[in-house]
Amino acid sequence: MNRSTGKRLGSVSLDGTARIWNMNTGAEIAEFDPGTGPIYSVAFAADGTLLTGGIDRTIRDWPATGGDGVVLFAGAPE
């Protein structure tokens, strides 16, 4: 992550994936696929990790360079 310019973009999709993009080059930096259905929200944490929220009612924290996410919050039961 380029902390001085913040040239990254996080995106999520109804196909269940989240991605981090390099805004200078348009290249994909990392892709995440928890395999749990659509992801509806995305944000960057202060440490540069990607936070996502999806249909499975979880909030996950993903490493900035790729890898497995950590469930921070498992939502309320139906």
Side-chain angles (χ1 to χ4, degrees):
M1 180 175 108
N2 186 340
R3 289 188 184 269
S4 62
T5 60
K7 298 293 183 182
R8 295 185 316 147
L9 173 72
S11 68
V12 295
S13 175
L14 294 179
D15 73 0
T17 60
R19 291 180 170 84
I20 299 175
W21 303 91
N22 180 313
M23 292 294 293
N24 291 326
T25 65
E28 182 180 291
I29 297 170
E31 178 182 353
F32 312 101
D33 186 356
T36 57
I39 301 174
Y40 297 122
S41 59
V42 64
F44 282 102
D47 66 358
T49 60
L50 193 73
L51 303 171
T52 61
I55 198 167
D56 65 349
R57 296 192 207 165
T58 62
I59 297 172
R60 296 176 193 263
D61 188 3
W62 302 93
T65 56
D68 293 331
V70 174
V71 175
L72 298 178
F73 176 78
E78 290 187 29

